[in-house]
């Protein structure tokens, strides 16, 4: 069975500081990993994905994520946070052996303070 | 349209009533997904269509929930005998099947269902 864990309900960071939002996963087969962001009263927006290859993937709005197979993690990072990055972030996983459903974590609220 | 469109954006109904929620995917996307999101939770998978057929309906909570996609484009999620616990935001997403399991999902803004 596929599952995703986001161990932090909320992450607080000062503007200009680096940020990390954590994600670990469990899946049979090779994982396909995704990050989405959700602003209040809006749908989910795709940020980036890891399929294969380089463990560091870059995405929208300056975000990047690092895939670590041994730790089954896919943490979201940004070198310098902006107040406008404040939102709800979801990690999601799909197995290479299951071409269908994408399973989401519970979400982490990112709060960037000026 | 340019994105995934969901109607209605808000629906308030009484316990026991029947509800239909509509999703119009991105043109050309053959894969369509329904998710349910409760307050403070991540999206919960309900059902996934590939074309007209339901490829995986393992997330439907019970037989009060049903979804169709008769022409492989627009989909309708149907909820019978609604209960207060059905209150949530129902999200629809579509994906290009040409990318298979590597393709990202594109989400609509959701239909907020409130059952009184």
């Amino acid at each position: 069975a596929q599952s995703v864990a986001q161990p932090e309900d909320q992450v607080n960071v000062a503007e200009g500081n680096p940020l990390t939002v954590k994600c670990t996963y469990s899946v049979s087969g090779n994982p396909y990993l995704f990050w989405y962001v959700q602003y209040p009263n809006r749908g989910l927006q795709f940020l980036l994905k890891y399929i294969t290859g380089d463990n560091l993937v870059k995405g929208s709005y300056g975000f990047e994520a690092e895939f670590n197979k041994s730790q089954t993690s896919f943490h979201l990072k940004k070198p310098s946070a902006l107040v406008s990055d404040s939102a709800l972030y979801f990690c999601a996983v799909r197995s290479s052996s299951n071409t269908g459903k994408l399973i989401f974590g519970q979400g982490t609220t990112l709060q960037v303070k000026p | 349209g340019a994105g995934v469109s969901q109607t209605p954006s808000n629906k308030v109904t009484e316990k026991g009533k029947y509800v239909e929620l509509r999703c119009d995917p991105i043109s050309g996307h053959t894969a369509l997904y329904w998710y349910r999101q409760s307050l403070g939770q991540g999206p919960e998978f309900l059902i996934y269509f590939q074309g007209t057929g339901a490829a995986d309906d393992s997330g439907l909570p019970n037989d009060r929930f049903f979804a169709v996609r008769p022409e492989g484009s627009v989909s309708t999620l149907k909820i019978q005998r609604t209960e207060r616990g059905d209150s949530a935001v129902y999200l629809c997403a579509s994906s290009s099947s040409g990318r298979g399991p590597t393709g990202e999902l594109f989400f609509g803004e959701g239909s907020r269902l409130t059952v009184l």
Side-chain angles (χ1 to χ4, degrees):
Chain A
Q2 303 163 219
S3 66
V4 176
Q6 293 181 243
E8 303 154 316
D9 289 337
Q10 182 158 328
V11 170
N12 297 310
V13 64
E15 187 174 33
N17 282 2
L19 69 88
T20 299
V21 181
K22 295 180 180 177
C23 170
T24 60
Y25 66 90
S26 174
V27 69
S28 57
N30 291 321
Y32 300 137
L33 294 153
F34 302 79
W35 276 101
Y36 283 81
V37 61
Q38 188 174 36
Y39 296 98
N41 300 314
R42 301 296 301 275
L44 279 76
Q45 297 178 29
F46 169 74
L47 277 179
L48 51 79
K49 65 182 177 183
Y50 171 81
I51 303 302
T52 188
D54 194 347
N55 288 343
L56 186 65
V57 293
K58 295 185 183 298
S60 306
Y61 312 119
F63 283 94
E64 56 191 29
E66 186 168 12
F67 171 64
N68 187 317
K69 186 173 183 178
S70 63
Q71 296 186 6
T72 62
S73 67
F74 188 56
H75 300 331
L76 181 70
K77 301 181 179 185
K78 188 173 182 181
S80 178
L82 299 173
V83 172
S84 58
D85 292 330
S86 299
L88 185 55
Y89 290 80
F90 292 99
C91 181
V93 68
R94 180 193 272 145
S95 167
S96 61
S97 60
N98 180 345
T99 59
K101 60 189 176 187
L102 192 60
I103 299 300
F104 285 83
Q106 294 301 294
T108 298
T109 299
L110 174 64
Q111 188 77 267
V112 182
K113 299 184 178 179
Chain B
V4 177
S5 176
Q6 292 188 246
T7 55
S9 56
N10 278 286
K11 176 71 177 179
V12 180
T13 191
E14 294 179 343
K15 178 172 178 262
K17 299 290 187 182
Y18 170 80
V19 166
E20 288 190 352
L21 306 175
R22 175 190 167 104
C23 174
D24 198 344
I26 292 172
S27 178
H29 281 189
T30 57
L32 185 146
Y33 300 76
W34 284 100
Y35 285 81
R36 177 169 69 175
Q37 188 177 21
S38 300
L39 192 63
Q41 301 293 315
E44 174 194 12
F45 171 80
L46 295 177
I47 186 170
Y48 151 61
F49 287 89
Q50 187 60 254
T52 60
D56 184 346
D57 65 357
S58 62
L60 294 177
N62 51 59
D63 61 7
R64 295 186 299 105
F65 288 75
F66 190 72
V68 295
R69 196 184 185 200
E71 298 178 356
S73 179
V74 170
S75 176
T76 304
L77 179 66
K78 307 181 181 193
I79 310 173
Q80 299 178 322
R81 303 183 304 280
T82 52
E83 300 177 356
R84 293 192 179 89
D86 298 335
S87 296
V89 176
Y90 289 82
L91 298 170
C92 178
S94 69
S95 177
S96 171
S97 63
R99 295 190 176 186
T102 67
E104 61 269 28
L105 274 58
F106 296 85
F107 282 84
E109 297 204 349
S111 292
R112 181 179 298 277
L113 175 65
T114 303
V115 182
L116 302 177

